[in-house]
Each structure stands twice: as structure tokens, then as C-alpha cells.
Amino acid sequence: MIKKFCRALIDYMYTGETVKKKRIALKNSIVFDSIPKTECHNSIYVDVSIIAQCDERTGIQRVVRALLNELQKNPPPGYKVCPVFATRNQCYQHVHREFSIANSGISSYSGETNLITPSAGDIFFGLDLATSILPEHYNQLESWKQNGMKIHILLYDLLPVLNPEWFHI
């Protein structure tokens, strides 16, 4: 009993509460990571509309490629990651299988229509900065939401919202 108390006291004195919390978080992540990743029940549809059409390889597009790459390497347990895109005139659809982050661009899209058929529990992640495309597909996103899909849009900058006179959209 005294030995356990001394060990706990030494742990607390020399590691502090923050390290204790990190240890618990690490333990939880090990348990979380031990869940088999082969069972995919839902999809995360990642919007890559801009880089699928014309990748300028600038700031936000680098972020999009890096986050998509990490999500594809390490999908959350129970999910598969599917890059999707839309144009102003075409609704969201799967990016062709041969699309790669390293060689992104419309040339990797074959022209086949491969529409998304979401189910409850799926996630749409608006990762790309598609300000001229996303509003065109409000009805599609709204119907997905009504069918149980979660919609998340990454907001990169509040300046266009706070000072719209500085921007043309």
C-alpha cells in the first residue's frame, strides 16, 4: 500500500497533472487505434473540387492535399475516405479512382458520372475552398442533411465575412 502511494506521489510530483492527462489520452488512443479499421460502415466525402479541376499548388490547396492524404492514410475507425468534386454545373460525384494527390487535376477525371449515394452517418467535409461551387449545390447538400449525412465546411478565413467589400465573389 505504501509502495503504491509513494509511486503515485512520485509520478505526480515529477510528471505533473498535464503529463498524467497525456498518459490517459495516450492510453485511450491506443484502445481507439486497436479497433480494426477493416470494417467500413460509413464514408467521409472530402470535397476536392478545386484541386480536381485546377491545382495551382498554393496555400489552401497544399492544406487540402495534406489533410486528404492524412485522412486516406489514417481514416477514422469505421469510415472510408472518398474524395469528391463538383463543378458549377455538375453535382457532387466521386473523383475517378486514378485521381492522385500528387498529380491532381481534371486530366485524372475520366468523364464518368459516379454520383454519391450517401447514407445516414456519412460525413461531407467541405475541405477545398470552393466558394463559387458550394453555393450552387445547396439543394443537394440540404437533401443529404435531411437523409442523415453530417455536413462540415472548413472556414479558412473570416475576412470575406467581416469585410465583404474587400472581396469579389
Side-chain angles (χ1 to χ4, degrees):
M1 178 74 171
I2 293 178
K3 196 175 192 180
K4 282 184 181 179
F5 176 77
C6 289
R7 185 174 292 150
L9 183 61
I10 289 170
D11 271 357
Y12 180 76
M13 287 172 51
Y14 290 101
T15 59
E17 196 63 34
T18 305
V19 174
K20 231 185 214 182
K21 287 178 183 175
K22 287 184 181 180
R23 274 194 204 142
I24 292 168
L26 179 61
K27 180 181 170 189
N28 290 341
S29 73
I30 291 168
V31 171
F32 186 69
D33 288 343
S34 67
I35 298 169
K37 293 183 180 182
T38 55
E39 296 179 31
C40 293
H41 302 291
N42 291 103
S43 297
I44 299 175
Y45 297 105
V46 180
D47 182 8
V48 294
S49 294
I50 302 302
I51 66 170
Q53 295 174 57
C54 179
D55 187 355
E56 299 292 333
R57 301 195 173 274
T58 58
I60 290 174
Q61 293 166 346
R62 280 194 304 267
V63 171
V64 171
R65 282 193 314 276
L67 287 174
L68 177 61
N69 189 33
E70 285 304 312
L71 280 170
Q72 287 180 321
K73 281 184 192 174
N74 302 301
Y79 283 91
K80 63 182 177 182
V81 176
C82 307
V84 298
F85 81 102
T87 66
R88 293 183 102 182
N89 302 319
Q90 290 180 310
C91 59
Y92 280 97
Q93 51 195 294
H94 292 275
V95 172
H96 191 265
R97 284 185 192 153
E98 294 170 15
F99 173 85
S100 80
I101 297 166
N103 300 316
S104 57
I106 197 69
S107 61
S108 59
Y109 173 61
S110 70
E112 299 171 9
T113 300
N114 194 357
L115 297 178
I116 299 168
T117 51
S119 58
D122 286 348
I123 298 170
F124 175 84
F125 182 27
L127 181 59
D128 218 341
L129 183 63
T131 56
S132 63
I133 296 171
L134 196 61
E136 297 293 324
H137 302 290
Y138 174 83
N139 291 336
Q140 184 182 23
L141 294 171
E142 187 60 32
S143 72
W144 289 349
K145 188 176 175 182
Q146 296 299 320
N147 289 321
M149 181 186 251
K150 296 176 185 168
I151 309 292
H152 298 278
I153 309 294
L154 183 60
L155 181 63
Y156 287 97
D157 195 344
L158 282 174
L159 282 175
V161 174
L162 298 175
N163 299 96
E165 68 275 8
W166 297 349
F167 299 89
H168 61 282
I169 294 179

PDB file of all heavy atoms in Angstrom, residues 108-128:
ATOM      1  N   SER A 108      -7.128  13.701 -64.578  1.00  0.00           N
ATOM      2  CA  SER A 108      -7.304  12.402 -63.949  1.00  0.00           C
ATOM      3  C   SER A 108      -8.774  12.017 -63.833  1.00  0.00           C
ATOM      4  O   SER A 108      -9.091  10.947 -63.362  1.00  0.00           O
ATOM      5  CB  SER A 108      -6.644  12.387 -62.565  1.00  0.00           C
ATOM      6  OG  SER A 108      -7.207  13.384 -61.762  1.00  0.00           O
ATOM      7  N   TYR A 109      -9.677  12.871 -64.284  1.00  0.00           N
ATOM      8  CA  TYR A 109     -11.102  12.562 -64.249  1.00  0.00           C
ATOM      9  C   TYR A 109     -11.508  12.048 -65.619  1.00  0.00           C
ATOM     10  O   TYR A 109     -11.261  12.686 -66.636  1.00  0.00           O
ATOM     11  CB  TYR A 109     -11.907  13.813 -63.868  1.00  0.00           C
ATOM     12  CG  TYR A 109     -13.392  13.607 -63.970  1.00  0.00           C
ATOM     13  CD1 TYR A 109     -14.025  12.650 -63.188  1.00  0.00           C
ATOM     14  CD2 TYR A 109     -14.151  14.338 -64.863  1.00  0.00           C
ATOM     15  CE1 TYR A 109     -15.380  12.441 -63.289  1.00  0.00           C
ATOM     16  CE2 TYR A 109     -15.510  14.143 -64.965  1.00  0.00           C
ATOM     17  CZ  TYR A 109     -16.122  13.187 -64.182  1.00  0.00           C
ATOM     18  OH  TYR A 109     -17.459  12.973 -64.279  1.00  0.00           O
ATOM     19  N   SER A 110     -12.142  10.882 -65.667  1.00  0.00           N
ATOM     20  CA  SER A 110     -12.422  10.218 -66.939  1.00  0.00           C
ATOM     21  C   SER A 110     -13.684  10.708 -67.614  1.00  0.00           C
ATOM     22  O   SER A 110     -13.941  10.353 -68.751  1.00  0.00           O
ATOM     23  CB  SER A 110     -12.544   8.715 -66.705  1.00  0.00           C
ATOM     24  OG  SER A 110     -13.724   8.453 -65.977  1.00  0.00           O
ATOM     25  N   GLY A 111     -14.516  11.469 -66.937  1.00  0.00           N
ATOM     26  CA  GLY A 111     -15.771  11.917 -67.513  1.00  0.00           C
ATOM     27  C   GLY A 111     -16.941  11.036 -67.117  1.00  0.00           C
ATOM     28  O   GLY A 111     -18.079  11.350 -67.408  1.00  0.00           O
ATOM     29  N   GLU A 112     -16.668   9.911 -66.454  1.00  0.00           N
ATOM     30  CA  GLU A 112     -17.744   9.041 -65.997  1.00  0.00           C
ATOM     31  C   GLU A 112     -18.500   9.732 -64.873  1.00  0.00           C
ATOM     32  O   GLU A 112     -17.918  10.398 -64.035  1.00  0.00           O
ATOM     33  CB  GLU A 112     -17.178   7.726 -65.444  1.00  0.00           C
ATOM     34  CG  GLU A 112     -16.399   6.908 -66.428  1.00  0.00           C
ATOM     35  CD  GLU A 112     -15.692   5.748 -65.746  1.00  0.00           C
ATOM     36  OE1 GLU A 112     -15.948   5.483 -64.553  1.00  0.00           O
ATOM     37  OE2 GLU A 112     -14.874   5.117 -66.417  1.00  0.00           O
ATOM     38  N   THR A 113     -19.811   9.545 -64.858  1.00  0.00           N
ATOM     39  CA  THR A 113     -20.600  10.090 -63.768  1.00  0.00           C
ATOM     40  C   THR A 113     -20.697   9.021 -62.687  1.00  0.00           C
ATOM     41  O   THR A 113     -21.150   7.920 -62.947  1.00  0.00           O
ATOM     42  CB  THR A 113     -22.006  10.484 -64.250  1.00  0.00           C
ATOM     43  OG1 THR A 113     -21.843  11.456 -65.258  1.00  0.00           O
ATOM     44  CG2 THR A 113     -22.817  11.050 -63.126  1.00  0.00           C
ATOM     45  N   ASN A 114     -20.237   9.347 -61.521  1.00  0.00           N
ATOM     46  CA  ASN A 114     -20.267   8.423 -60.400  1.00  0.00           C
ATOM     47  C   ASN A 114     -20.848   9.176 -59.213  1.00  0.00           C
ATOM     48  O   ASN A 114     -20.126   9.642 -58.345  1.00  0.00           O
ATOM     49  CB  ASN A 114     -18.848   7.922 -60.122  1.00  0.00           C
ATOM     50  CG  ASN A 114     -18.840   6.720 -59.216  1.00  0.00           C
ATOM     51  OD1 ASN A 114     -19.874   6.270 -58.737  1.00  0.00           O
ATOM     52  ND2 ASN A 114     -17.655   6.204 -58.962  1.00  0.00           N
ATOM     53  N   LEU A 115     -22.159   9.335 -59.217  1.00  0.00           N
ATOM     54  CA  LEU A 115     -22.834  10.145 -58.208  1.00  0.00           C
ATOM     55  C   LEU A 115     -22.727   9.529 -56.821  1.00  0.00           C
ATOM     56  O   LEU A 115     -22.632   8.317 -56.672  1.00  0.00           O
ATOM     57  CB  LEU A 115     -24.300  10.340 -58.587  1.00  0.00           C
ATOM     58  CG  LEU A 115     -24.549  11.102 -59.884  1.00  0.00           C
ATOM     59  CD1 LEU A 115     -26.041  11.172 -60.166  1.00  0.00           C
ATOM     60  CD2 LEU A 115     -23.963  12.496 -59.813  1.00  0.00           C
ATOM     61  N   ILE A 116     -22.789  10.388 -55.836  1.00  0.00           N
ATOM     62  CA  ILE A 116     -22.714   9.970 -54.443  1.00  0.00           C
ATOM     63  C   ILE A 116     -24.096   9.514 -53.992  1.00  0.00           C
ATOM     64  O   ILE A 116     -25.094  10.174 -54.252  1.00  0.00           O
ATOM     65  CB  ILE A 116     -22.234  11.148 -53.570  1.00  0.00           C
ATOM     66  CG1 ILE A 116     -20.843  11.569 -54.014  1.00  0.00           C
ATOM     67  CG2 ILE A 116     -22.273  10.801 -52.101  1.00  0.00           C
ATOM     68  CD1 ILE A 116     -20.399  12.886 -53.436  1.00  0.00           C
ATOM     69  N   THR A 117     -24.127   8.390 -53.292  1.00  0.00           N
ATOM     70  CA  THR A 117     -25.375   7.923 -52.680  1.00  0.00           C
ATOM     71  C   THR A 117     -25.120   7.811 -51.179  1.00  0.00           C
ATOM     72  O   THR A 117     -24.739   6.753 -50.682  1.00  0.00           O
ATOM     73  CB  THR A 117     -25.813   6.557 -53.252  1.00  0.00           C
ATOM     74  OG1 THR A 117     -24.713   5.654 -53.176  1.00  0.00           O
ATOM     75  CG2 THR A 117     -26.261   6.685 -54.689  1.00  0.00           C
ATOM     76  N   PRO A 118     -25.291   8.926 -50.477  1.00  0.00           N
ATOM     77  CA  PRO A 118     -24.971   8.941 -49.052  1.00  0.00           C
ATOM     78  C   PRO A 118     -26.004   8.190 -48.223  1.00  0.00           C
ATOM     79  O   PRO A 118     -27.134   7.984 -48.646  1.00  0.00           O
ATOM     80  CB  PRO A 118     -24.984  10.422 -48.699  1.00  0.00           C
ATOM     81  CG  PRO A 118     -25.920  11.023 -49.676  1.00  0.00           C
ATOM     82  CD  PRO A 118     -25.779  10.215 -50.934  1.00  0.00           C
ATOM     83  N   SER A 119     -25.556   7.789 -47.046  1.00  0.00           N
ATOM     84  CA  SER A 119     -26.473   7.159 -46.093  1.00  0.00           C
ATOM     85  C   SER A 119     -26.312   7.861 -44.740  1.00  0.00           C
ATOM     86  O   SER A 119     -25.365   8.609 -44.527  1.00  0.00           O
ATOM     87  CB  SER A 119     -26.171   5.664 -45.980  1.00  0.00           C
ATOM     88  OG  SER A 119     -24.834   5.453 -45.583  1.00  0.00           O
ATOM     89  N   ALA A 120     -27.244   7.593 -43.856  1.00  0.00           N
ATOM     90  CA  ALA A 120     -27.189   8.198 -42.517  1.00  0.00           C
ATOM     91  C   ALA A 120     -25.866   7.832 -41.857  1.00  0.00           C
ATOM     92  O   ALA A 120     -25.426   6.687 -41.924  1.00  0.00           O
ATOM     93  CB  ALA A 120     -28.360   7.719 -41.678  1.00  0.00           C
ATOM     94  N   GLY A 121     -25.229   8.813 -41.258  1.00  0.00           N
ATOM     95  CA  GLY A 121     -23.949   8.595 -40.598  1.00  0.00           C
ATOM     96  C   GLY A 121     -22.753   8.984 -41.448  1.00  0.00           C
ATOM     97  O   GLY A 121     -21.645   9.083 -40.948  1.00  0.00           O
ATOM     98  N   ASP A 122     -22.969   9.180 -42.751  1.00  0.00           N
ATOM     99  CA  ASP A 122     -21.885   9.642 -43.612  1.00  0.00           C
ATOM    100  C   ASP A 122     -21.583  11.105 -43.300  1.00  0.00           C
ATOM    101  O   ASP A 122     -22.397  11.811 -42.703  1.00  0.00           O
ATOM    102  CB  ASP A 122     -22.262   9.514 -45.082  1.00  0.00           C
ATOM    103  CG  ASP A 122     -22.232   8.074 -45.571  1.00  0.00           C
ATOM    104  OD1 ASP A 122     -21.713   7.203 -44.851  1.00  0.00           O
ATOM    105  OD2 ASP A 122     -22.739   7.828 -46.681  1.00  0.00           O
ATOM    106  N   ILE A 123     -20.407  11.551 -43.721  1.00  0.00           N
ATOM    107  CA  ILE A 123     -19.972  12.928 -43.468  1.00  0.00           C
ATOM    108  C   ILE A 123     -19.521  13.554 -44.782  1.00  0.00           C
ATOM    109  O   ILE A 123     -18.783  12.938 -45.548  1.00  0.00           O
ATOM    110  CB  ILE A 123     -18.801  12.955 -42.462  1.00  0.00           C
ATOM    111  CG1 ILE A 123     -19.237  12.386 -41.114  1.00  0.00           C
ATOM    112  CG2 ILE A 123     -18.242  14.369 -42.315  1.00  0.00           C
ATOM    113  CD1 ILE A 123     -18.094  12.154 -40.141  1.00  0.00           C
ATOM    114  N   PHE A 124     -19.972  14.771 -45.032  1.00  0.00           N
ATOM    115  CA  PHE A 124     -19.443  15.580 -46.131  1.00  0.00           C
ATOM    116  C   PHE A 124     -18.512  16.596 -45.491  1.00  0.00           C
ATOM    117  O   PHE A 124     -18.916  17.354 -44.606  1.00  0.00           O
ATOM    118  CB  PHE A 124     -20.558  16.302 -46.894  1.00  0.00           C
ATOM    119  CG  PHE A 124     -20.028  17.241 -47.945  1.00  0.00           C
ATOM    120  CD1 PHE A 124     -19.682  16.768 -49.201  1.00  0.00           C
ATOM    121  CD2 PHE A 124     -19.865  18.587 -47.682  1.00  0.00           C
ATOM    122  CE1 PHE A 124     -19.175  17.629 -50.178  1.00  0.00           C
ATOM    123  CE2 PHE A 124     -19.367  19.456 -48.644  1.00  0.00           C
ATOM    124  CZ  PHE A 124     -19.019  18.973 -49.899  1.00  0.00           C
ATOM    125  N   PHE A 125     -17.256  16.613 -45.923  1.00  0.00           N
ATOM    126  CA  PHE A 125     -16.269  17.530 -45.378  1.00  0.00           C
ATOM    127  C   PHE A 125     -15.841  18.485 -46.491  1.00  0.00           C
ATOM    128  O   PHE A 125     -15.098  18.113 -47.389  1.00  0.00           O
ATOM    129  CB  PHE A 125     -15.083  16.743 -44.837  1.00  0.00           C
ATOM    130  CG  PHE A 125     -14.004  17.573 -44.189  1.00  0.00           C
ATOM    131  CD1 PHE A 125     -14.275  18.800 -43.609  1.00  0.00           C
ATOM    132  CD2 PHE A 125     -12.705  17.109 -44.138  1.00  0.00           C
ATOM    133  CE1 PHE A 125     -13.280  19.556 -42.999  1.00  0.00           C
ATOM    134  CE2 PHE A 125     -11.698  17.843 -43.537  1.00  0.00           C
ATOM    135  CZ  PHE A 125     -11.989  19.065 -42.975  1.00  0.00           C
ATOM    136  N   GLY A 126     -16.359  19.713 -46.448  1.00  0.00           N
ATOM    137  CA  GLY A 126     -16.021  20.738 -47.432  1.00  0.00           C
ATOM    138  C   GLY A 126     -14.638  21.271 -47.142  1.00  0.00           C
ATOM    139  O   GLY A 126     -14.483  22.276 -46.456  1.00  0.00           O
ATOM    140  N   LEU A 127     -13.639  20.576 -47.635  1.00  0.00           N
ATOM    141  CA  LEU A 127     -12.251  20.899 -47.326  1.00  0.00           C
ATOM    142  C   LEU A 127     -11.674  21.921 -48.292  1.00  0.00           C
ATOM    143  O   LEU A 127     -10.948  22.821 -47.897  1.00  0.00           O
ATOM    144  CB  LEU A 127     -11.421  19.608 -47.355  1.00  0.00           C
ATOM    145  CG  LEU A 127      -9.944  19.691 -47.049  1.00  0.00           C
ATOM    146  CD1 LEU A 127      -9.715  20.279 -45.663  1.00  0.00           C
ATOM    147  CD2 LEU A 127      -9.302  18.315 -47.137  1.00  0.00           C
ATOM    148  N   ASP A 128     -12.018  21.800 -49.567  1.00  0.00           N
ATOM    149  CA  ASP A 128     -11.464  22.707 -50.565  1.00  0.00           C
ATOM    150  C   ASP A 128     -12.165  24.061 -50.499  1.00  0.00           C
ATOM    151  O   ASP A 128     -13.324  24.150 -50.094  1.00  0.00           O
ATOM    152  CB  ASP A 128     -11.631  22.102 -51.962  1.00  0.00           C
ATOM    153  CG  ASP A 128     -10.430  22.382 -52.858  1.00  0.00           C
ATOM    154  OD1 ASP A 128      -9.661  23.314 -52.558  1.00  0.00           O
ATOM    155  OD2 ASP A 128     -10.286  21.671 -53.863  1.00  0.00           O
TER     156      ASP A 128
END
